Amino acid sequence: SGELPPLRGADVPMASFDGARFNTKLYDPRRIALNLFLGSSDAPGTGASSPAQAQANLEALQLVLSVRRVQQQLIQVMPDASQRIAMAECVDFKSLVWQAGREAGRAVADFQLSDPWFYGANVVDAARDVHVSPTAFNFTHPGTVRGNRVIFDILGPAVNPQIVNNANGVSVQCLVTVAAGKHLLIDCGAWTARNDGAQAIGSIRHSGAFSFMYLEPGVNALSWTATGLSSASRLTTTLQPPFV
C-alpha cells in the first residue's frame, strides 16, 4: 500500500516552555483497502459467463473474507515476483456495484493488520566464526522499517554472550554458559531464550529499547563479546525483514 500506519503516543507539553518534549512513538495497527473486480467465469475459465456464476463467485469470495477466528495471509507480489506477507483480517466489504447485466461487479475490501508490516523472506548471516572477542561484523536489513524479529543462534562454547547494535545502541546479553556443541537461541521477536532447550529468559539482559534487539533498515554494525570461546564458537543471525 505504501502508506505508513498511524502513530501511537504523543509529545509531552511542558509548563512554561513552547511546544512539547519529543517522545518516541510506536506504530498502531492499520487498514488497507483493496479495490476488487468480480467476474463471472468459472474456476477453469471455460464456462459461459452468467449472473448465476457471478453470484457463485461472490459467495466463494465472501466465504474467504468472512473468516473471524484467525488472521489470514495477505500476500503482496512484487515486480520481481518475490512475496511479502502480512497477517490480516477483512473487516469490511462494501460498495458492491454490479455491471454488464450482473455478470461483473466492483467492490472494496478493507483489511485490518494488527501487526502493520509486510514481511519478506528471512535474511540469514549463517554460522559466523566468533571465537575472537570482540568480533565486529555488518548485517544488512533490506526492509523499510526497523525490525525486531531477530533470532540469534549461538553455538557453544560461549559464556555470557552479548550482541550490540552500534547503529542504535540496542544490546542483548544472556548470562549463561553455552556448552560446546550446544545452542543458545535468543528469539527477540518472540521474547524467548533457550539454552540447549532449557528456559533461559531470566538470564536475559537488554538495554537501549524495550525489545531485545532492533535492526535498522540498511547496514547495521554489530559487535559480539563473550568469554570461554573456542574455534568452534559460531553465531547465526536471522532477520524477518519488515516492509511498509
Side-chain angles (χ1 to χ4, degrees):
S1 73
E3 296 181 359
L4 286 170
L7 294 175
R8 186 187 341 148
D11 295 336
V12 180
M14 302 292 291
S16 303
F17 288 91
D18 294 332
R21 185 181 67 187
F22 172 78
N23 266 348
T24 302
K25 301 2 174 252
L26 298 174
Y27 286 107
D28 261 345
R30 66 168 166 165
R31 284 194 179 191
I32 293 178
L34 297 181
N35 293 314
L36 305 179
F37 174 80
L38 183 69
S40 57
S41 298
D42 60 12
T46 57
S49 297
S50 69
Q53 185 62 53
Q55 181 64 34
N57 293 347
L58 172 62
E59 292 177 0
L61 177 62
Q62 291 171 331
L63 183 64
V64 173
L65 298 182
S66 64
V67 173
R68 290 293 177 267
R69 66 186 184 279
V70 293
Q71 292 179 307
Q72 300 185 90
Q73 288 186 343
L74 185 63
I75 301 175
Q76 184 180 37
V77 180
M78 307 307 296
D80 63 359
S82 65
Q83 295 183 351
R84 299 171 185 173
I85 299 174
M87 300 306 296
E89 175 188 16
C90 182
V91 293
D92 198 7
F93 182 75
K94 58 189 177 183
S95 303
L96 179 61
V97 179
W98 290 107
Q99 299 172 318
R102 211 177 182 278
E103 292 185 7
R106 294 180 291 108
V108 177
D110 280 345
F111 294 90
Q112 175 85 356
L113 280 62
S114 55
D115 177 340
W117 310 127
F118 285 83
Y119 289 90
N122 285 347
V123 179
V124 183
D125 181 71
R128 178 172 292 275
D129 184 348
V130 289
H131 79 276
V132 174
S133 180
T135 292
F137 64 99
N138 290 335
F139 188 100
T140 300
H141 171 6
T144 56
V145 290
R146 62 177 358 203
N148 69 343
R149 291 191 179 184
V150 186
I151 298 175
F152 295 113
D153 182 350
I154 298 160
L155 176 64
V159 178
N160 300 338
Q162 181 181 46
I163 300 100
V164 178
N165 187 350
N166 296 294
N168 54 24
V170 179
S171 67
V172 62
Q173 184 177 31
C174 197
L175 303 178
V176 296
T177 296
V178 187
K182 304 300 182 180
H183 290 264
L184 168 64
L185 293 174
I186 303 174
D187 190 329
C188 302
W191 307 89
T192 61
R194 291 193 172 275
N195 186 15
D196 191 24
Q199 182 65 255
I201 192 65
S203 300
I204 288 288
R205 303 293 183 270
H206 64 102
S207 65
F210 185 73
S211 291
F212 290 173
M213 178 57 63
Y214 273 116
L215 295 181
E216 306 294 336
V219 177
N220 293 257
L222 304 182
S223 60
W224 152 278
T225 55
T227 60
L229 300 169
S230 80
S231 60
S233 302
R234 295 290 185 272
L235 170 66
T236 296
T237 303
T238 302
L239 168 70
Q240 191 176 18
F243 295 81
V244 175

